[in-house]
Amino acid sequence: MHAPLKILEDEIVNCRLCPRLREHCAQVAAVKRRAYRDQEYWGRPVPAFGDPQARILVLGLAPGAHGSNRTGRMFTGDRSGDVLYRVLHQAGLASQPVSSSRHDGLTLHDVFITAAARCAPPGNKPTPQEIRNCRPFLERELDLLPNVKVVVALGKIAFDAYLDLLKSRGAIRSRAPFVFGHDREFVTAPGLPILISSYHPSQQNTSTGKLTEKMLRDVFRRARRLAER
């Protein structure tokens, strides 16, 4: 990761803007889940992960309590990450199909993964204010990723968070013209990355068949085509 991004990610890890979230992350890290009792949990805000030259930005919701909050890497250590990295590998965007820890040697090609909120929230639900507190980090990441041509928003909360960022910057007037749905493509404003909305690869969505691996693979194939255009 190049220096300005590294400085930003260190800042994120040390952020204390949301006491409720910091307390929850630390508590989960102290109590642990029985299956991971022998592991040391990360227990802090989770930095973004990926290729600084990426043309595709993947925006998730927030770290999972026993996933990223345990491993310290975005979408790593839970079912949603298992699906996402398998699909990224199939689409030629990840060096291996499994992401198990920060030290497993996985690299991403042309993809940078971040989230609307950087701390694991109780019940997987950050408050609107907590998402707003995190927004400047996402803005700075976008500024430091000069090649991004496509933003893939995983889930409606991430989709809305990105549109709110564009609105706060004066790039769009309203979120109203942009209606969330799976594998939908939006031109938000001239010169800005194309936005693709996708269902989130949460266990709830994948176990019910609302989102299949093929559906998610189609999203990333579309993203890759648009990025290479």
Side-chain angles (χ1 to χ4, degrees):
M1 199 173 272
H2 62 81
L5 265 177
K6 178 75 176 76
I7 291 165
L8 172 58
E9 300 308 332
D10 288 345
E11 224 177 284
I12 289 167
V13 170
N14 292 299
C15 174
R16 298 188 173 276
L17 284 174
C18 304
R20 180 184 88 110
L21 297 188
R22 285 305 302 258
E23 193 178 314
H24 179 67
C25 291
Q27 185 183 8
V28 169
V31 175
K32 304 182 182 179
R33 185 174 272 173
R34 183 179 290 175
Y36 310 124
R37 193 181 287 155
D38 60 337
Q39 296 183 21
E40 188 175 337
Y41 273 55
W42 175 258
R44 288 169 282 167
V46 178
F49 168 63
D51 180 355
Q53 303 304 316
R55 291 177 292 184
I56 301 167
L57 180 88
V58 177
L59 182 62
L61 166 56
H66 301 280
S68 300
N69 186 56
R70 171 171 61 89
T71 63
R73 182 196 276 166
M74 287 281 170
F75 279 99
T76 298
D78 57 24
R79 296 281 178 83
S80 58
D82 292 347
V83 173
L84 178 63
Y85 284 108
R86 201 154 52 233
V87 165
L88 289 175
H89 181 253
Q90 288 163 357
L93 300 166
S95 64
Q96 58 194 47
V98 175
S99 176
S100 56
S101 85
R102 295 192 311 286
H103 313 294
D104 62 8
L106 170 68
T107 56
L108 295 180
H109 167 65
D110 223 8
V111 170
F112 192 84
I113 302 179
T114 188
R118 311 306 170 100
C119 292
N124 275 340
K125 286 183 180 164
T127 66
Q129 184 57 53
E130 286 162 350
I131 291 175
R132 279 195 294 275
N133 287 349
C134 254
R135 187 193 292 159
F137 295 139
L138 178 58
E139 288 198 68
R140 285 164 62 193
E141 281 167 349
L142 283 163
D143 290 341
L144 291 169
L145 296 165
N147 300 329
V148 171
K149 292 183 176 179
V150 181
V151 173
V152 177
L154 298 175
K156 189 172 189 304
I157 295 175
F159 179 75
D160 287 346
Y162 180 68
L163 291 172
D164 281 337
L165 184 159
L166 295 185
K167 193 177 167 193
S168 74
R169 286 186 155 188
I172 60 171
R173 275 207 208 144
S174 160
R175 277 187 353 210
F178 308 99
V179 180
F180 178 82
H182 182 71
D183 203 10
R184 286 194 181 162
E185 185 183 318
F186 305 89
V187 176
T188 53
L192 286 182
I194 290 166
L195 173 61
I196 299 176
S197 57
S198 167
Y199 293 149
H200 190 286
S202 65
Q203 193 174 349
Q204 186 182 357
N205 285 344
T206 55
S207 64
T208 57
K210 183 177 181 179
L211 179 69
T212 64
E213 284 193 29
K214 183 194 178 299
M215 288 165 68
L216 192 60
R217 201 160 52 240
D218 288 345
V219 166
F220 282 102
R221 285 189 172 144
R222 180 197 287 252
R224 191 168 184 177
R225 269 197 315 276
L226 290 168
E228 289 171 352
R229 200 161 68 186

